Each structure stands twice: as structure tokens, then as C-alpha cells.
Amino acid sequence: MTDVREAERTTRDAPSVVRTLVLWCPDWPVTAAVRAGHLDPEAPIALIEKGLVFACSAAARRAGVRRGLRVREAQSRVPELLVQPYDPLIDHRTFDGVVDAIEELMPGTQLLRPGMCAIRSRGPSRYYGGEEPAARALLDCLDAQGLPDSRVGVADGPFTAEHAARSTLTTPGRVLVVPEGESAAFLAPLSIGLLDDPALVTLLRRLGVNTLADFAALPAVDVHGRFGEHGARLHALASGLDSRAVVPRVPPEQLERVIEFEPPLDRVDQVTFGFRATADRFLDALTEAKLVCTAIRIEVRTESGETSERTWLHPRSFTASDVVDRVRWQLQGSGAIDSGLGSAIDRVRVAPESVDSIGNHEVGLWGGGPDERIHHGLSRVQSMLGHGGVLTAVIGGGRSLADRQTLVAWGDRPVPDRPADQPWPGQLPPLPPSTVFRAPPPVVVLDAAGRSVEVDERGALSGAPAAFAPAAATDAVRAVTAWAGPWPLEERWWDAETSRSAHRFQVVDADGTAWLLVLERGAWCAEARYD
Amino acid sequence: MPVSRLPAGHASAAATAIAAAAEPAGDAATTADTVRTLQSRIRQMQASKLDSRSIPTHPAIAELLPGGALKQGAVYSVDRSATLLMALLAGPSAAGSWCGVVGVPEFGIEAAARFGIDLDRLVLVPDPGEQWLAVTAAIADVMGVVVTRPPRRADDGSVARLAARLRQRDATLIVLGTWPQSEAMLSLSESDWTGIGNGHGHLSARQVTVTVTSRTHARPRSARLWLPDREAAFRSAGRVPQAAQPDLRPVLREAAG
């Protein structure tokens, strides 16, 4: 009786393990960076995240660079190391093309992470007459993609298959097939550290559990009682009973549009005119997918192979003419509409960067309120003066007045250059000046004896300011009735390029107008006026 | 201006005033004063925009302005002072209006925010170049208050077209500098800073005399204001005696004498 119940329970609980084929491209972040940045794949390359090496190329690894090393140490081991910041977006974007190619060969691909994907092996192995030939076919496809380093593991469940693929680094051949039901034996000698839960791994190590086999040997009921649902799942992984299914990805709809110009066009207005129909098609496809677009990415390729990429935001959502405007602004920069281009354009691509449901952007029955009217009006001014002609402002942190105010073009996201919540010691007293000169006019400041006022290294004045005059017209002297200063400003002394050392003064002239004068590197200028 | 266009009440009020003025006056000065008062009353009554609405204005400045507030569709001139300009913008901006600033690249953003202008509803067009009139008109189409600084004198036709557009759109234009048909001209004088000495302290507050010259006022009106006070707010600091003001209309006095 008990045996029957036990057997029933086992059959009900026994996870249905799916034979899985996992494809792995080692060092994918480096491969992606090489492809995106046109680097030499043979060179020692390291990708850095938060000051530590995140990934490195084979050449760098041979020279002793490891993941988790500090940048300085990696550079001391390999002086000619190419250091690049790690960008997960590039990983995803580059791997997308590979996944597309795989999907043409074997449908139903699940993207585990950039550089690794899982495929249910039943269909391909039946078609190619076995798991090994299917894996070979997949590798041939990747070789054609220029990825000769890729590996394939076939086993029960994605976890075992992934580690089968990884183990091919140490075994001859690029494919490892773990026969059905032998997953537990394959995993047994591997380290407990492969489980993706550092806290649990540390605890298990202290309990004397060092390999997956040790962990799998523990009774499942006890593991569940001690570590809960999550621990039980990891226990199942260690026992080779990976019940996760392979969930094929739904290929995203192609919303991007490309136009190629043959022959290439060398005038801005020709390109924008040629692009108009493409913009219409782009918007039609979005509308058909019941989407609106709030950010787009435009890539322009010139005849000589240069590409210019830029993301454009929109405060509401793009219309076809807005997209054409953005292409024009990207091409012309600050030039006029009929200006020529440095090199002829042969390809323009527009892709949506962030989309939203069309329902959230529907105009109300009585119009969209005042903001839409304002946006239309300002877009008109932008079409007259260019994208940067209409600005909105945001106040950030900083010590000088110019540092604190950030101006962004209408439609872009206003983010201050420097965080405002930092203390910024050395900033000006609270009353801000109402006029801040964009190009501070040079002035001369004189003491009572008519000598130029200077500040020495210890911050002492050579004399009290008695008068000042614009450097351009030194006879228009203004008498100083009150003054305060010098207030020293020392910024980034460790960086020769951006360091700043100045003394600031507030000065009131005989008319009652107050000025903010700055003495920097021996030269006086009027930075702002309190008028 | 035909009298028949005035409402009956206004016409009779004018008649009473004229009758009062017709009585023999003490001396030439009082006569001149009476003439000025009458002229301003006539102008007020003749205002072609009886229904013109006003926009929220700071009370300290509002009492100096003709009509007691900034009007929609009108043009005001500000002589040089950016603080005074911000004092005019602060009221409408706090009440929810959008403000556009055209052709003033040195507009101090931080001071604007400090004086109560909402930066989310502030738009700057620092370099409109040759198209400043077209840009000003386009901004006035959509925004409640527009500030502009003409790089040169505009021709009369463009001024008239812009004025018509402002009236139609109910936008208020504030010009930094002079403008041919401005409702009032605001200027600053006698500014006294406090908080700063000779080599010590820092600028903290100032008192100024704000003078408003208007076509509809008999004589310029002045007030002593804190612009700004120690809390970066604007408030009145008591009125200046009228005698202290220069008489801008000597011709009238001669005529009356």
C-alpha cells in the first residue's frame, strides 16, 4: 500500500526533463565589442565594468588578464591592453543578428543571455538524424556567421546542457552530448559554485558540500525543508533534473525601415525628400502594430562608409514629418537646408527605440489640451531655427553659474549635467544674478592709485578695487561704491585640462548696478550682472 | 475718437469732470494738473479694449501699471533690468502660463527659478537671428507671455501686424528696450544694495525706485520696491513723493500757463 502511494508520488513529482541543445559563444561581450567597434579580434581587449575587468579576449587571457581584475592591475600585466567600457546594449544588439540566423535554421530558440541560447533538441535531431549531426549543423551555421569559437552542449535540461557546452573548452571537440539520463553523473564532479546563488553556495561549502554530487546526495525533502522552494529547485538542477522548459522567443516585429539611395545623394534636401515615403511607411507599420513611438534611432551611412547614429526623443509621439525633421537635423547639423554634405549619403535607417501603446496617446474628443498646442508652436520654431534653437532649462549643481544651468533642446530629456543634491562647497552666495553673460566680457579693475588689482598666491589683494571699466573701452570707467571678495574657486586641480582656479568678486558701481567679476589666470572678466 | 462710441455713463462722467475743470483755477500749476487729470480720464474712457482681461501681476508692480495689472494682448517695455522683467514674469508663470524668452541669451535661469518662474513652463530661444519677429509671433501664438529684445527697430507694418496677432491670441509681449506702441514703459533707478560693504558681506537685497511711464497716465508713477528682498521675494517699500519725480511734460505746462 505504502509502496503504491510512494510510486504514485514519484511519477507525479518526477519532472519532465526536456532534451535541450545549448549554444554558447565564449567571450561574447568581447566579440560584440569587436564587431561594434571595428577592433582587431587578435588584440588584447578588456571590457571594464565598475573599475573591474568584466570580460577579456583570448589574447588578453593568455597574458594573464582575468575577469574581476582591477583595471590598473590588468594594464600592468598587459601594457598594450585595449580597455573599453562594457555596454550590455551592444551585447544584445549584436547577438540579435546571430539569433536571427539560428532561427532560420532551427525555429524555437530561447535567448538565455547574449552569447547563449537554448533550443529544444527533439525537432532538429529528428531532422538531421541525431543530436550530434544537429549540433554540427548549428556550428556550421555559426561558422558562416564568423563565430568559429562557438560550442554546443546537448543534455537533459538547459542547465546541464549549458555546462556540457562549457566543458568543451577542456575536452577535444566543440560538441558534447550527454546521453539521456546521465546528466546526474555528468554534473557530479562539478563544483558547487556553478549554482547561481552565492549566499547558498557559501553556506553549503561551510557545511562541507563542495560538489554538485554532494548536494544532490542530500534528501530532497530535507533540502526543501531547510532551504525552501528556491533551494529545492537548485537541488533538482544539481541532480540533473532540470525541469525548465525551453520557451521559444517570439521574433519581434520588424518596425525599422531602411532606404538605400542609388546613386548616393549629396544634398540635405534631396535626402529628406527621398526619405519622406520611408517615414510614412515607418509610421504606418507602427500604427498597424497599435504602437506609437516616443524615441527613434536614426543611422545615416555615407558613401565612404562612415555612419552617424543618434537617438531622438519626442515629448509626445513621432509623426512622419517629425521623423523627416529629425533626419534633416541630423544631416545638416547647424548648416542650412540647401547646404552640401561632406560625403554622399547612400543609406538611411530608422528604428524605434521606445514605443508605447497607441491607446495612451490618443487625442481626446475635444483636442489634446494646451500642451499639444505649445508643442506644435515650438516645433514650428524648431523647423525655422533647427533642433537646438528652442531650449528648456534645468538647474543642476556646480560652482560657477555656467556649470549650474543646463540648457537642452525642446523635446530632449532635461537632465542636469551635475547632480544638484551634492553640497558643492565654494558656490556663490544665495542671491543669483539675473543676467549671466554667455561670453563674459573682459574688464580691467583698478585700485585707488590706478594700478590693476591682483590677488597673490595666498589670496591677498594688491589693493581695494576702486573702479573698473570694460577692456574694450577703458575710458568708460565705473566707480566702485561697494565690493566683496575675493572668493576663491579651486576646481579639479588634479586634471590639467578641466582644472579651474579663479577669484570672484561682487562689485556695486556708482549707478547702483551690481556685477560679478572673476579674476582667472591674471585676467578679469564680468561673469554676470545683478540688474 | 467719436464720443458716441462711449457708454452713456462715461460720457456724463466726462461732462461733470470738464465742468469742474472749467471753474477758475488758483494758479498755473493746478491748471496743468487738472488738464493732465482730464486727459488721462479721457484716455481711460476711450480705451478701445474695454473687455481686455488682465493676467496675474505682482501686487507691488500692479498698482503702478495702467489698469492695475498686465493686460492680455498688450505690449510693455522694460528698460534694461532683467530682475524687473523676472518680476513681471513671475506672476503669470506661477499662475500656470507658459513664458517664452526670445533673443535674450544672457537670461539668468537660476535667478528666474529663484524669483518664482517655473522652469518647466519656460522656453528660451536665445538666437533667433534675423527671424526674431517671426519667432516672436510664432511663440506668441502658443504662449501667454513672450519676452523679446529687438536687435533693431522694427518697421511700423510689422509692429502693427504683431500687435494684431497679440490681441487675437491674448498674449502679452514684454520688450526689453523701447517699442513704438507699448502700453507702459518700466524702468529702474536709485538702486541701493544692502548686505555688501567695502570688502565684506555679500549682495543680499536691494531697494529700487520703479517708474512706470504710460500713455494713459498723466505723469509717471513711481514706487520704492524691494527687488528682491532678503528672501528673494518682491515687495513694496513705501511710495516715493511725487515731487521728487521730474516733470516729463514741460510743453503741457507752457500751454496751460
Side-chain angles (χ1 to χ4, degrees):
Chain A
M1 184 69 189
T2 321
D3 288 350
V4 173
R5 205 174 288 161
E6 186 70 20
E8 253 180 19
R9 207 172 66 85
T10 329
T11 37
R12 199 176 62 236
D13 284 2
S16 56
V17 177
V18 181
R19 288 293 286 171
T20 309
L21 188 154
V22 165
L23 166 84
W24 177 47
C25 305
D27 295 332
W28 180 257
V30 174
T31 315
V34 165
R35 291 188 163 202
H38 308 291
L39 303 171
D40 176 16
E42 299 302 317
I45 301 165
L47 300 180
I48 306 301
E49 193 184 46
K50 293 178 183 161
L52 301 177
V53 174
F54 180 81
C56 56
S57 65
R61 194 175 300 112
R62 272 196 303 276
V65 179
R66 291 284 174 276
R67 182 179 170 156
L69 219 57
R70 289 165 55 129
V71 183
R72 195 180 297 173
E73 177 141 16
Q75 281 170 330
S76 75
R77 290 186 189 180
V78 188
E80 68 273 19
L81 189 68
L82 275 172
V83 173
Q84 296 248 328
Y86 169 63
D87 182 0
L89 278 181
I90 293 182
D91 276 14
H92 278 278
R93 206 185 302 151
T94 323
F95 197 60
D96 212 41
V98 178
V99 175
D100 287 347
I102 296 170
E103 266 178 345
E104 279 183 19
L105 194 72
M106 301 179 184
T109 308
Q110 179 187 17
L111 183 66
L112 296 176
R113 72 183 72 104
M116 184 175 283
C117 59
I119 304 163
R120 205 173 159 168
S121 102
R122 195 182 67 179
S125 58
R126 196 177 289 170
Y127 181 81
Y128 290 101
E131 286 168 340
E132 179 97 23
R136 296 266 166 235
L138 191 56
L139 287 176
D140 288 345
C141 158
L142 283 156
D143 288 348
Q145 291 281 311
L147 296 165
D149 256 358
S150 44
R151 318 271 159 161
V152 173
V154 188
D156 297 341
F159 178 78
T160 318
E162 176 187 333
H163 290 291
R166 283 185 191 278
S167 70
T168 55
L169 281 181
T170 49
T171 57
R174 291 164 62 194
V175 179
L176 181 67
V177 178
V178 179
E180 198 164 352
E182 287 180 25
S183 287
F186 167 76
L187 290 172
L190 300 179
S191 158
I192 191 84
L194 296 179
L195 296 178
D196 186 21
D197 183 345
L200 182 65
V201 167
T202 316
L203 178 60
L204 289 173
R205 279 192 204 280
R206 283 189 303 189
L207 292 173
V209 177
N210 283 317
T211 61
L212 291 176
D214 294 345
F215 189 36
L218 299 175
V221 180
D222 293 350
V223 171
H224 187 273
R226 173 70 178 78
F227 301 112
E229 207 52 57
H230 177 65
R233 201 177 61 74
L234 293 180
H235 183 260
L237 290 186
S239 322
L241 302 171
D242 184 1
S243 58
R244 285 178 299 171
V246 176
V247 185
R249 71 163 191 166
V250 180
E253 208 161 335
Q254 289 297 314
L255 292 171
E256 61 177 55
R257 290 289 178 270
V258 180
I259 183 166
E260 312 229 343
F261 298 114
E262 182 57 44
L265 304 176
D266 57 357
R267 281 166 57 96
V268 177
D269 46 355
Q270 289 174 335
V271 175
T272 47
F273 186 78
F275 183 71
R276 202 165 287 267
T278 312
D280 282 335
R281 284 206 305 280
F282 174 66
L283 257 292
D284 288 348
L286 279 171
T287 313
E288 206 165 289
K290 297 193 176 60
L291 294 172
V292 293
C293 190
T294 54
I296 56 170
R297 175 175 204 84
I298 293 175
E299 289 171 23
V300 179
R301 195 180 68 192
T302 65
E303 203 179 12
S304 53
E306 297 162 32
T307 47
S308 104
E309 278 188 30
R310 197 191 145 161
T311 301
W312 295 90
L313 301 181
H314 197 286
R316 299 182 66 81
S317 63
F318 279 100
T319 63
S321 62
D322 289 337
V323 177
V324 175
D325 268 350
R326 298 311 186 276
V327 169
R328 177 158 65 83
W329 292 337
Q330 184 163 337
L331 289 176
Q332 83 189 57
S334 55
I337 174 84
D338 53 355
S339 61
L341 290 160
S343 176
I345 305 291
D346 71 345
R347 182 171 181 269
V348 178
R349 173 175 171 267
V350 55
E353 187 128 308
S354 73
V355 291
D356 194 5
S357 165
I358 205 166
N360 302 339
H361 287 256
E362 201 42 61
V363 178
L365 194 53
W366 287 279
D371 281 11
E372 187 174 20
R373 210 165 57 90
I374 280 164
H375 176 67
H376 281 300
L378 294 179
S379 300
R380 246 185 72 213
V381 178
Q382 277 185 321
S383 62
M384 283 192 252
L385 300 176
H387 183 242
V390 182
L391 305 171
T392 51
V394 62
I395 300 292
R399 295 184 181 86
S400 75
L401 295 162
D403 281 356
R404 291 173 69 85
Q405 58 189 39
T406 306
L407 295 170
V408 289
W410 173 256
D412 287 355
R413 200 169 289 129
V415 181
D417 288 341
R418 295 166 183 77
D421 50 1
Q422 302 294 319
W424 298 108
Q427 52 180 308
L428 286 171
L431 183 67
S434 50
T435 298
V436 180
F437 299 110
R438 205 154 44 162
V443 293
V444 289
V445 180
L446 308 169
D447 60 10
R451 287 187 306 266
S452 181
V453 176
E454 282 160 20
V455 178
D456 68 15
E457 283 172 2
R458 300 185 67 84
L461 275 174
S462 65
F468 70 100
T474 41
D475 48 341
V477 176
R478 294 160 181 269
V480 171
T481 57
W483 61 278
W487 297 322
L489 173 69
E490 292 285 344
E491 273 194 320
R492 296 182 290 269
W493 45 264
W494 58 87
D495 182 358
E497 276 174 25
T498 58
S499 72
R500 195 162 178 223
S501 166
H503 293 279
R504 290 163 302 172
F505 291 77
Q506 279 178 342
V507 162
V508 183
D509 67 15
D511 297 344
T513 309
W515 302 77
L516 180 70
L517 304 183
V518 179
L519 173 63
E520 189 167 7
R521 296 199 183 106
W524 286 88
C525 63
E527 190 176 358
R529 190 171 64 200
Y530 302 78
D531 54 0
Chain B
M1 180 65 62
V3 178
S4 59
R5 278 183 54 189
L6 295 174
H10 282 197
S12 65
T16 327
I18 291 166
E23 286 168 15
D27 56 341
T30 25
T31 320
D33 272 352
T34 321
V35 169
R36 271 191 223 118
T37 322
L38 286 175
Q39 279 184 332
S40 76
R41 281 198 73 175
I42 291 169
R43 281 206 196 87
Q44 278 169 10
M45 282 186 243
Q46 281 181 336
S48 55
K49 301 161 282 187
L50 286 175
D51 58 340
S52 65
R53 281 170 293 167
S54 56
I55 56 176
T57 319
H58 195 281
I61 297 173
E63 60 184 21
L64 301 174
L65 293 169
L70 290 173
K71 282 185 227 156
Q72 287 184 344
V75 185
Y76 295 86
S77 297
V78 171
D79 186 22
R80 291 200 305 268
S81 168
T83 312
L84 189 52
L85 172 68
M86 288 171 190
L88 291 177
L89 289 180
S93 179
S97 274
W98 282 73
C99 303
V101 179
V102 179
V104 193
E106 68 272 17
F107 189 80
I109 313 293
E110 203 172 357
R114 196 77 203 289
F115 295 150
I117 298 171
D118 191 342
L119 293 188
D120 292 343
R121 290 193 300 272
L122 177 72
V123 172
L124 305 156
V125 186
D127 303 295
E130 286 302 301
Q131 310 187 53
W132 67 275
L133 250 173
V135 169
T136 306
I139 298 266
D141 274 355
V142 291
M143 297 208 169
V145 188
V146 187
V147 176
T148 191
R149 180 165 57 201
R152 57 171 189 283
R153 206 188 138 81
D155 61 285
D156 292 346
S158 321
V159 169
R161 272 198 299 281
L162 183 57
R165 200 146 167 188
L166 290 171
R167 272 200 298 280
Q168 190 193 352
R169 296 286 180 178
D170 284 341
T172 307
L173 178 67
I174 302 176
V175 179
L176 269 174
T178 55
W179 190 256
Q181 300 200 329
S182 68
E183 190 80 13
M185 169 95 179
L186 293 90
S187 57
L188 281 193
S189 55
E190 299 167 40
S191 68
D192 293 326
W193 285 96
T194 58
I196 188 166
N198 272 320
H200 56 84
H202 60 81
L203 299 170
S204 60
R206 93 170 149 175
Q207 269 199 15
V208 288
T209 305
V210 176
T211 308
V212 177
T213 320
S214 159
R215 282 179 297 150
T216 52
H217 283 166
R219 57 158 66 98
R221 292 189 190 177
S222 297
R224 205 64 187 150
L225 298 185
W226 284 103
L227 203 72
D229 69 4
R230 283 176 187 279
E231 280 80 45
F234 308 121
R235 62 189 166 88
S236 177
R239 223 179 162 89
V240 180
Q242 289 293 329
Q245 288 305 307
D247 193 348
L248 298 181
R249 305 197 177 195
V251 184
L252 241 178
R253 176 175 290 175
E254 275 169 32

